[in-house]
Coordinates of all heavy atoms in Angstrom, one line a residue:
M1074 N 79.5 72.3 126.0 CA 79.0 71.9 124.8 C 79.8 72.5 123.6 O 80.0 71.8 122.6 CB 77.6 72.5 124.7 CG 76.9 72.3 123.4 SD 75.2 72.8 123.5 CE 74.9 73.5 122.0
L1075 N 80.4 73.6 123.7 CA 81.2 74.2 122.7 C 82.7 74.0 122.9 O 83.5 74.5 122.1 CB 80.9 75.7 122.4 CG 79.4 75.9 122.0 CD1 79.2 77.4 121.9 CD2 79.1 75.2 120.7
N1076 N 83.1 73.4 124.0 CA 84.5 73.2 124.3 C 85.1 72.3 123.3 O 84.6 71.2 122.9 CB 84.7 72.6 125.7 CG 84.4 73.6 126.8 OD1 84.6 74.8 126.6 ND2 83.9 73.1 127.9
Q1077 N 86.3 72.7 122.8 CA 87.1 72.0 121.8 C 86.3 71.7 120.5 O 86.5 70.7 119.8 CB 87.6 70.7 122.4 CG 88.6 70.9 123.5 CD 89.8 71.8 123.0 OE1 90.4 71.6 122.0 NE2 90.0 72.9 123.7
K1078 N 85.4 72.6 120.1 CA 84.6 72.4 118.9 C 85.0 73.6 118.0 O 85.4 74.6 118.4 CB 83.1 72.5 119.2 CG 82.6 71.5 120.1 CD 82.7 70.1 119.5 CE 82.1 69.1 120.5 NZ 82.3 67.7 120.1
T1079 N 84.8 73.3 116.7 CA 85.1 74.3 115.7 C 83.7 74.9 115.2 O 82.8 74.1 114.9 CB 85.8 73.7 114.4 OG1 87.1 73.2 114.9 CG2 86.1 74.8 113.4
I1080 N 83.6 76.2 115.3 CA 82.4 76.9 115.0 C 82.6 77.8 113.8 O 83.6 78.6 113.8 CB 82.0 77.7 116.3 CG1 81.9 76.8 117.5 CG2 80.6 78.4 116.0 CD1 82.0 77.5 118.8
L1081 N 81.7 77.8 112.9 CA 81.7 78.7 111.8 C 80.5 79.7 112.0 O 79.4 79.3 112.2 CB 81.5 78.0 110.4 CG 81.3 78.9 109.2 CD1 82.6 79.5 108.8 CD2 80.7 78.0 108.0
I1082 N 80.8 81.0 111.9 CA 79.8 82.0 112.0 C 79.7 82.7 110.7 O 80.6 83.5 110.3 CB 80.1 83.0 113.1 CG1 80.3 82.3 114.4 CG2 78.9 84.0 113.3 CD1 80.8 83.2 115.6
T1083 N 78.6 82.5 109.9 CA 78.4 83.3 108.7 C 77.9 84.7 109.1 O 77.2 84.8 110.1 CB 77.4 82.6 107.8 OG1 76.1 82.6 108.4 CG2 77.8 81.2 107.4
G1084 N 78.4 85.7 108.4 CA 78.0 87.0 108.7 C 78.6 87.4 110.1 O 78.1 88.2 110.9
G1085 N 79.8 86.8 110.3 CA 80.4 86.8 111.6 C 80.9 88.2 112.1 O 81.1 88.4 113.3
T1086 N 81.0 89.2 111.2 CA 81.5 90.5 111.6 C 80.4 91.4 112.0 O 80.6 92.6 112.4 CB 82.4 91.1 110.5 OG1 81.6 91.2 109.3 CG2 83.6 90.4 110.3
G1087 N 79.1 91.0 111.9 CA 78.0 91.8 112.3 C 77.9 91.9 113.8 O 78.7 91.3 114.5
S1088 N 76.8 92.6 114.2 CA 76.7 92.8 115.7 C 76.4 91.5 116.4 O 77.0 91.2 117.5 CB 75.5 93.8 116.0 OG 74.3 93.3 115.4
F1089 N 75.6 90.6 115.8 CA 75.4 89.3 116.5 C 76.7 88.5 116.5 O 77.0 87.8 117.5 CB 74.3 88.5 115.8 CG 74.1 87.1 116.4 CD1 73.4 87.0 117.6 CD2 74.7 86.0 115.8 CE1 73.2 85.7 118.1 CE2 74.5 84.8 116.4 CZ 73.8 84.6 117.5
G1090 N 77.4 88.4 115.4 CA 78.6 87.6 115.3 C 79.6 88.1 116.3 O 80.3 87.3 117.0
N1091 N 79.8 89.4 116.5 CA 80.7 89.9 117.5 C 80.3 89.5 118.9 O 81.1 89.1 119.7 CB 80.8 91.5 117.4 CG 81.9 91.9 116.5 OD1 83.0 92.0 116.9 ND2 81.5 92.2 115.2
A1092 N 79.0 89.7 119.2 CA 78.5 89.4 120.5 C 78.6 87.9 120.8 O 79.0 87.5 121.9 CB 77.1 89.8 120.7
F1093 N 78.3 87.0 119.8 CA 78.3 85.6 120.0 C 79.8 85.1 120.2 O 80.1 84.3 121.0 CB 77.7 84.9 118.8 CG 77.6 83.4 119.0 CD1 76.7 82.8 119.8 CD2 78.6 82.6 118.3 CE1 76.7 81.4 120.0 CE2 78.5 81.2 118.5 CZ 77.6 80.6 119.3
T1094 N 80.7 85.7 119.4 CA 82.1 85.4 119.5 C 82.6 85.7 120.9 O 83.3 84.9 121.6 CB 82.9 86.1 118.4 OG1 82.5 85.7 117.1 CG2 84.4 85.8 118.6
E1095 N 82.3 86.9 121.4 CA 82.7 87.3 122.7 C 82.1 86.4 123.8 O 82.8 85.9 124.7 CB 82.3 88.7 123.0 CG 82.8 89.3 124.3 CD 82.6 90.8 124.4 OE1 82.2 91.4 123.4 OE2 82.9 91.3 125.5
Y1096 N 80.9 86.0 123.6 CA 80.2 85.1 124.6 C 80.9 83.7 124.6 O 81.2 83.2 125.7 CB 78.7 84.9 124.3 CG 78.0 84.0 125.2 CD1 77.5 84.5 126.5 CD2 77.8 82.7 125.0 CE1 76.9 83.7 127.4 CE2 77.2 81.9 125.9 CZ 76.7 82.4 127.1 OH 76.1 81.5 128.0
V1097 N 81.1 83.2 123.4 CA 81.8 81.9 123.4 C 83.2 81.9 123.9 O 83.5 81.0 124.7 CB 81.8 81.3 121.9 CG1 82.6 80.1 121.8 CG2 80.4 81.0 121.4
L1098 N 83.9 82.9 123.6 CA 85.3 83.0 124.1 C 85.3 83.2 125.7 O 86.3 82.8 126.3 CB 86.1 84.1 123.4 CG 86.4 83.8 121.9 CD1 87.0 85.1 121.3 CD2 87.3 82.7 121.8
T1099 N 84.3 83.8 126.2 CA 84.2 84.1 127.6 C 83.8 82.8 128.4 O 84.3 82.5 129.5 CB 83.3 85.2 127.9 OG1 83.8 86.4 127.2 CG2 83.2 85.5 129.4
H1100 N 82.8 82.1 127.8 CA 82.2 81.0 128.6 C 82.6 79.6 128.2 O 82.3 78.6 128.9 CB 80.7 81.1 128.4 CG 80.1 82.3 129.1 ND1 80.0 83.5 128.4 CD2 79.7 82.5 130.4 CE1 79.5 84.4 129.3 NE2 79.3 83.8 130.4
F1101 N 83.4 79.4 127.1 CA 83.8 78.1 126.6 C 85.2 78.2 126.1 O 85.8 79.2 126.1 CB 82.9 77.7 125.4 CG 81.4 77.5 125.8 CD1 80.5 78.6 125.5 CD2 80.9 76.4 126.3 CE1 79.2 78.5 125.8 CE2 79.6 76.3 126.7 CZ 78.7 77.3 126.4
N1102 N 85.7 77.0 125.8 CA 87.1 76.9 125.2 C 87.0 76.3 123.8 O 87.3 75.1 123.7 CB 88.0 76.1 126.2 CG 89.4 76.1 125.7 OD1 89.9 76.9 125.0 ND2 90.1 75.0 126.1
P1103 N 86.6 77.0 122.8 CA 86.4 76.4 121.5 C 87.8 76.1 120.9 O 88.8 76.7 121.2 CB 85.7 77.5 120.7 CG 86.2 78.8 121.3 CD 86.3 78.5 122.8
K1104 N 87.8 75.1 120.0 CA 89.0 74.8 119.3 C 89.4 75.9 118.3 O 90.5 76.4 118.3 CB 88.9 73.4 118.6 CG 90.0 73.0 117.8 CD 89.7 71.6 117.2 CE 90.9 71.1 116.4 NZ 90.6 69.8 115.7
K1105 N 88.3 76.3 117.6 CA 88.5 77.4 116.6 C 87.1 78.0 116.3 O 86.1 77.3 116.3 CB 89.1 76.8 115.4 CG 89.3 77.8 114.3 CD 90.1 77.3 113.1 CE 89.7 75.9 112.7 NZ 90.4 75.4 111.5
I1106 N 87.1 79.3 116.1 CA 85.9 80.0 115.6 C 86.3 80.6 114.3 O 87.3 81.4 114.2 CB 85.5 81.2 116.6 CG1 85.1 80.6 117.9 CG2 84.3 81.9 116.0 CD1 84.7 81.6 119.0
I1107 N 85.5 80.3 113.2 CA 85.8 80.8 111.9 C 84.8 81.9 111.6 O 83.6 81.7 111.7 CB 85.7 79.7 110.8 CG1 86.6 78.6 111.1 CG2 85.9 80.3 109.4 CD1 86.4 77.3 110.3
I1108 N 85.3 83.1 111.4 CA 84.5 84.3 111.1 C 84.4 84.4 109.6 O 85.4 84.7 108.9 CB 85.1 85.6 111.7 CG1 85.3 85.4 113.2 CG2 84.2 86.8 111.4 CD1 84.1 85.1 114.0
Y1109 N 83.2 84.1 109.0 CA 83.0 84.1 107.6 C 82.1 85.3 107.2 O 81.0 85.5 107.7 CB 82.2 82.8 107.2 CG 82.1 82.6 105.8 CD1 83.1 81.9 105.0 CD2 80.9 82.9 105.1 CE1 82.9 81.6 103.7 CE2 80.7 82.6 103.8 CZ 81.8 82.0 103.1 OH 81.6 81.7 101.7
S1110 N 82.7 86.2 106.4 CA 82.0 87.4 106.0 C 82.6 88.0 104.7 O 83.7 87.6 104.3 CB 82.0 88.5 107.1 OG 83.2 89.2 107.2
R1111 N 81.9 88.9 104.1 CA 82.3 89.6 102.9 C 83.2 90.8 103.1 O 83.8 91.3 102.2 CB 81.1 90.0 102.0 CG 80.3 88.9 101.6 CD 79.1 89.4 100.8 NE 78.2 90.2 101.7 CZ 77.2 90.9 101.3 NH1 76.9 91.0 100.0 NH2 76.5 91.6 102.2
D1112 N 83.2 91.3 104.3 CA 83.8 92.6 104.6 C 85.2 92.5 105.3 O 85.3 92.2 106.4 CB 82.9 93.4 105.5 CG 83.2 94.9 105.6 OD1 84.4 95.2 105.6 OD2 82.3 95.7 105.7
E1113 N 86.2 92.7 104.4 CA 87.6 92.6 104.9 C 87.9 93.6 106.0 O 88.6 93.3 107.0 CB 88.5 92.8 103.7 CG 90.0 92.5 104.1 CD 90.9 92.6 102.8 OE1 90.4 92.7 101.7 OE2 92.1 92.5 103.0
F1114 N 87.4 94.9 105.9 CA 87.7 95.9 106.9 C 87.1 95.5 108.2 O 87.7 95.6 109.3 CB 87.2 97.2 106.4 CG 87.5 98.3 107.4 CD1 88.8 98.7 107.7 CD2 86.5 99.0 108.1 CE1 89.1 99.7 108.7 CE2 86.8 100.0 109.1 CZ 88.1 100.3 109.3
K1115 N 85.8 95.0 108.2 CA 85.2 94.6 109.5 C 85.9 93.4 110.1 O 86.0 93.3 111.3 CB 83.7 94.2 109.3 CG 82.9 95.4 109.1 CD 81.4 95.0 109.1 CE 80.5 96.2 108.9 NZ 79.1 95.8 108.8
Q1116 N 86.5 92.5 109.3 CA 87.3 91.4 109.8 C 88.6 92.0 110.5 O 89.0 91.5 111.5 CB 87.7 90.4 108.7 CG 86.5 89.6 108.3 CD 86.9 88.5 107.3 OE1 88.1 88.2 107.0 NE2 85.9 87.7 106.8
F1117 N 89.2 93.0 109.8 CA 90.3 93.6 110.4 C 90.0 94.2 111.8 O 90.7 94.0 112.8 CB 90.9 94.7 109.5 CG 91.9 95.6 110.2 CD1 93.2 95.1 110.4 CD2 91.6 96.9 110.6 CE1 94.2 95.9 111.0 CE2 92.5 97.7 111.2 CZ 93.8 97.2 111.4
Q1118 N 88.8 94.9 111.9 CA 88.4 95.5 113.1 C 88.2 94.5 114.2 O 88.5 94.6 115.4 CB 87.1 96.4 112.9 CG 87.4 97.6 112.1 CD 86.1 98.3 111.9 OE1 85.0 97.7 111.5 NE2 86.1 99.7 112.0
M1119 N 87.5 93.4 113.8 CA 87.2 92.3 114.7 C 88.5 91.6 115.2 O 88.7 91.3 116.4 CB 86.3 91.3 114.1 CG 85.6 90.4 115.1 SD 84.3 89.5 114.2 CE 83.8 88.4 115.5
A1120 N 89.5 91.5 114.3 CA 90.8 90.9 114.7 C 91.5 91.8 115.7 O 92.1 91.3 116.6 CB 91.7 90.7 113.4
E1121 N 91.4 93.1 115.6 CA 91.9 94.0 116.6 C 91.2 93.9 117.9 O 91.9 93.9 118.9 CB 91.8 95.5 116.1 CG 92.8 95.8 114.9 CD 94.3 95.7 115.4 OE1 94.6 96.3 116.4 OE2 95.0 95.0 114.7
K1122 N 89.9 93.8 117.9 CA 89.1 93.6 119.1 C 89.5 92.4 119.9 O 89.5 92.4 121.1 CB 87.6 93.6 118.7 CG 86.7 93.4 119.9 CD 85.3 93.5 119.4 CE 84.3 93.2 120.6 NZ 82.9 93.2 120.2
F1123 N 89.7 91.3 119.1 CA 90.0 90.0 119.8 C 91.4 89.6 119.6 O 91.7 88.4 119.6 CB 89.1 88.9 119.2 CG 87.6 89.1 119.5 CD1 86.7 89.5 118.5 CD2 87.1 88.9 120.8 CE1 85.4 89.7 118.8 CE2 85.8 89.1 121.1 CZ 84.9 89.5 120.1
K1124 N 92.4 90.5 119.5 CA 93.8 90.2 119.3 C 94.4 89.3 120.3 O 95.3 88.5 120.1 CB 94.6 91.4 119.0 CG 94.7 92.4 120.1 CD 95.5 93.6 119.7 CE 95.3 94.7 120.6 NZ 95.8 96.0 120.1
N1125 N 93.8 89.3 121.6 CA 94.4 88.4 122.6 C 93.9 86.9 122.4 O 94.4 86.0 123.1 CB 93.9 88.9 124.0 CG 92.4 88.9 124.2 OD1 91.7 89.1 123.2 ND2 92.0 88.8 125.4
Q1126 N 93.0 86.7 121.5 CA 92.5 85.4 121.1 C 93.0 84.9 119.8 O 92.3 84.1 119.1 CB 91.0 85.4 121.2 CG 90.4 85.7 122.5 CD 90.6 84.5 123.5 OE1 90.8 83.4 123.2 NE2 90.5 84.9 124.8
K1127 N 94.1 85.4 119.3 CA 94.5 85.2 117.9 C 94.5 83.8 117.5 O 94.1 83.4 116.4 CB 95.9 85.8 117.8 CG 96.3 86.2 116.4 CD 97.6 86.9 116.4 CE 97.8 87.6 115.1 NZ 99.0 88.4 115.0
G1128 N 95.0 82.9 118.3 CA 95.0 81.4 117.9 C 93.7 80.8 117.8 O 93.6 79.7 117.2
K1129 N 92.7 81.3 118.4 CA 91.3 80.7 118.4 C 90.5 81.2 117.2 O 89.5 80.5 116.9 CB 90.6 81.0 119.7 CG 91.2 80.5 120.9 CD 90.6 79.2 121.2 CE 91.2 78.7 122.6 NZ 91.1 77.3 122.7
L1130 N 90.8 82.3 116.6 CA 90.0 82.9 115.6 C 90.6 82.8 114.2 O 91.8 83.0 114.0 CB 89.7 84.3 115.9 CG 88.9 84.6 117.1 CD1 88.7 86.1 117.4 CD2 87.5 84.0 117.1
R1131 N 89.8 82.5 113.2 CA 90.2 82.5 111.8 C 89.2 83.3 111.0 O 88.0 83.1 111.2 CB 90.3 81.0 111.3 CG 90.7 81.0 109.8 CD 91.2 79.7 109.3 NE 91.6 79.9 108.0 CZ 91.0 79.3 106.9 NH1 89.9 78.5 107.1 NH2 91.4 79.5 105.7
Y1132 N 89.8 84.1 110.2 CA 88.9 85.0 109.4 C 88.9 84.5 107.9 O 90.0 84.2 107.3 CB 89.4 86.5 109.5 CG 89.3 86.9 110.9 CD1 90.4 86.8 111.8 CD2 88.2 87.5 111.4 CE1 90.3 87.2 113.1 CE2 88.1 87.9 112.7 CZ 89.1 87.7 113.5 OH 89.0 88.1 114.8
F1133 N 87.7 84.4 107.4 CA 87.5 83.8 106.0 C 86.7 84.7 105.2 O 85.5 85.0 105.6 CB 86.8 82.5 106.2 CG 87.1 81.4 105.2 CD1 87.9 80.4 105.4 CD2 86.5 81.6 103.9 CE1 88.2 79.4 104.4 CE2 86.8 80.6 102.9 CZ 87.6 79.5 103.2
I1134 N 87.2 85.3 104.2 CA 86.4 86.2 103.3 C 85.6 85.3 102.4 O 86.1 84.4 101.8 CB 87.4 87.1 102.4 CG1 88.1 88.1 103.2 CG2 86.6 87.8 101.3 CD1 87.3 89.2 103.8
G1135 N 84.3 85.6 102.3 CA 83.4 84.8 101.5 C 82.0 85.3 101.6 O 81.6 86.1 102.4
D1136 N 81.2 84.7 100.7 CA 79.8 85.0 100.6 C 79.0 83.7 100.6 O 79.4 82.8 99.9 CB 79.5 85.8 99.3 CG 78.1 86.3 99.2 OD1 77.1 85.6 99.4 OD2 78.0 87.5 98.9
V1137 N 77.9 83.6 101.4 CA 77.2 82.4 101.5 C 76.6 82.0 100.1 O 76.2 80.8 99.9 CB 76.0 82.4 102.5 CG1 76.6 82.6 103.9 CG2 75.1 83.5 102.3
R1138 N 76.5 82.9 99.2 CA 76.0 82.6 97.9 C 77.0 81.9 97.0 O 76.7 81.3 95.9 CB 75.5 83.8 97.2 CG 74.3 84.5 97.9 CD 73.9 85.8 97.3 NE 75.0 86.7 97.6 CZ 75.0 88.0 97.3 NH1 73.9 88.5 96.7 NH2 75.9 88.8 97.6
D1139 N 78.3 81.9 97.4 CA 79.4 81.2 96.7 C 79.5 79.8 97.3 O 80.2 79.6 98.3 CB 80.7 82.0 96.8 CG 81.8 81.4 96.1 OD1 81.8 80.2 95.7 OD2 82.8 82.2 95.9
R1140 N 78.9 78.8 96.7 CA 78.8 77.5 97.2 C 80.2 76.9 97.5 O 80.4 76.3 98.5 CB 78.0 76.6 96.3 CG 77.8 75.2 96.7 CD 76.9 74.5 95.8 NE 76.6 73.2 96.3 CZ 77.0 72.0 95.8 NH1 77.7 72.0 94.7 NH2 76.7 70.9 96.3
D1141 N 81.1 77.0 96.5 CA 82.4 76.3 96.6 C 83.2 76.9 97.8 O 83.8 76.2 98.5 CB 83.2 76.5 95.3 CG 82.6 75.6 94.2 OD1 81.9 74.7 94.5 OD2 82.8 76.0 93.0
R1142 N 83.1 78.3 97.9 CA 83.9 78.9 99.0 C 83.3 78.6 100.3 O 84.0 78.3 101.3 CB 83.8 80.5 98.7 CG 84.6 81.3 99.7 CD 86.0 81.4 99.3 NE 86.7 82.4 100.1 CZ 88.0 82.3 100.4 NH1 88.7 81.3 99.9 NH2 88.5 83.1 101.2
L1143 N 82.0 78.5 100.4 CA 81.3 78.1 101.7 C 81.7 76.7 102.0 O 82.0 76.4 103.2 CB 79.8 78.3 101.5 CG 79.0 78.0 102.8 CD1 79.4 78.9 104.0 CD2 77.5 78.1 102.5
F1144 N 81.7 75.8 101.1 CA 82.0 74.4 101.4 C 83.5 74.3 101.9 O 83.8 73.5 102.7 CB 81.8 73.5 100.2 CG 80.4 73.0 100.1 CD1 79.3 73.7 100.6 CD2 80.1 71.9 99.3 CE1 78.0 73.3 100.5 CE2 78.8 71.5 99.2 CZ 77.7 72.2 99.8
R1145 N 84.3 75.1 101.3 CA 85.7 75.2 101.8 C 85.8 75.6 103.3 O 86.5 75.1 104.1 CB 86.5 76.1 100.9 CG 87.8 75.6 100.5 CD 88.4 76.4 99.4 NE 89.6 77.0 99.9 CZ 90.2 78.0 99.3 NH1 89.7 78.5 98.2 NH2 91.3 78.5 99.8
A1146 N 85.0 76.6 103.6 CA 85.0 77.1 105.0 C 84.4 76.1 105.9 O 84.7 76.1 107.1 CB 84.2 78.4 105.0
L1147 N 83.5 75.2 105.5 CA 82.8 74.3 106.3 C 83.7 73.0 106.7 O 83.2 72.2 107.5 CB 81.5 73.8 105.6 CG 80.4 74.8 105.6 CD1 79.3 74.4 104.7 CD2 79.8 75.0 107.0
D1148 N 84.8 72.9 106.1 CA 85.7 71.8 106.3 C 86.0 71.6 107.8 O 86.5 72.5 108.4 CB 86.9 71.9 105.5 CG 87.7 70.6 105.5 OD1 87.1 69.5 105.4 OD2 89.0 70.7 105.5
D1149 N 85.7 70.5 108.4 CA 86.0 70.1 109.8 C 85.2 71.0 110.8 O 85.7 71.2 111.9 CB 87.5 70.1 110.1 CG 88.2 69.0 109.4 OD1 87.6 67.9 109.3 OD2 89.3 69.2 108.9
V1150 N 84.1 71.6 110.4 CA 83.3 72.4 111.3 C 82.3 71.6 112.1 O 81.7 70.7 111.5 CB 82.6 73.6 110.5 CG1 81.6 74.3 111.4 CG2 83.6 74.6 110.0
D1151 N 82.2 71.8 113.4 CA 81.2 71.1 114.2 C 79.9 71.8 114.3 O 78.9 71.1 114.3 CB 81.8 70.9 115.6 CG 83.1 70.1 115.7 OD1 83.0 68.9 115.2 OD2 84.1 70.7 116.1
Y1152 N 79.9 73.1 114.3 CA 78.7 73.9 114.4 C 78.7 75.1 113.5 O 79.7 75.7 113.4 CB 78.5 74.4 115.9 CG 78.2 73.4 116.9 CD1 79.3 73.0 117.8 CD2 77.0 72.8 117.1 CE1 79.0 72.0 118.7 CE2 76.8 71.8 118.0 CZ 77.8 71.4 118.8 OH 77.6 70.5 119.8
V1153 N 77.5 75.4 112.9 CA 77.4 76.6 112.1 C 76.4 77.5 112.7 O 75.3 77.1 113.0 CB 76.9 76.2 110.6 CG1 76.7 77.4 109.8 CG2 77.9 75.3 110.0
I1154 N 76.8 78.7 112.9 CA 75.8 79.8 113.3 C 75.6 80.7 112.1 O 76.5 81.3 111.7 CB 76.4 80.6 114.5 CG1 76.9 79.7 115.6 CG2 75.5 81.6 115.0 CD1 75.8 78.8 116.2
H1155 N 74.4 80.6 111.6 CA 74.1 81.4 110.4 C 73.5 82.7 110.8 O 72.3 82.8 111.1 CB 73.1 80.6 109.5 CG 72.8 81.2 108.2 ND1 73.8 81.6 107.3 CD2 71.7 81.5 107.6 CE1 73.3 82.1 106.2 NE2 72.0 82.1 106.4
A1156 N 74.4 83.7 110.8 CA 73.9 85.0 111.3 C 73.7 85.9 110.0 O 73.7 87.1 110.0 CB 75.0 85.7 112.2

């Protein structure tokens, strides 16, 4: 179901986002997972945690309240996980 799909996870650096990302990378072959969050340091930590999956993950600084930024992140996304 998630193979070759692009997934956007809002609040992606939180506990659910980390667990969901790990689950998807273990059980599926996504085209790309976009981690969307406000916290640059947590994105750095997550990038370190998943450094062996570098080509599959993209980190996007943003806030869901910023409509223009969110719409930019949604470009070519198949699924949104709103965490």
Side-chain angles (χ1 to χ4, degrees):
M1074 181 171 140
L1075 298 176
N1076 289 327
Q1077 294 307 307
K1078 301 295 182 186
T1079 298
I1080 305 157
L1081 172 73
I1082 306 172
T1083 65
T1086 56
S1088 56
F1089 176 81
N1091 268 278
F1093 184 77
T1094 299
E1095 187 169 351
Y1096 181 84
V1097 170
L1098 291 172
T1099 301
H1100 294 90
F1101 298 97
N1102 184 26
K1104 181 177 179 181
K1105 178 172 42 175
I1106 299 175
I1107 302 168
I1108 307 299
Y1109 187 84
S1110 77
R1111 298 178 295 169
D1112 194 324
E1113 188 175 354
F1114 182 65
K1115 284 185 181 178
Q1116 286 189 5
F1117 169 77
Q1118 289 176 316
M1119 198 168 175
E1121 287 295 307
K1122 177 180 176 181
F1123 294 109
K1124 61 184 164 191
N1125 62 332
Q1126 297 287 340
K1127 202 172 196 174
K1129 297 269 183 196
L1130 297 175
R1131 176 161 185 248
Y1132 298 90
F1133 207 107
I1134 294 288
D1136 190 310
V1137 294
R1138 297 172 291 184
D1139 183 343
R1140 183 175 186 247
D1141 293 336
R1142 184 86 172 148
L1143 182 59
F1144 276 23
R1145 225 166 114 197
L1147 286 167
D1148 191 39
D1149 292 325
V1150 168
D1151 298 300
Y1152 294 102
V1153 176
I1154 307 301
H1155 184 52

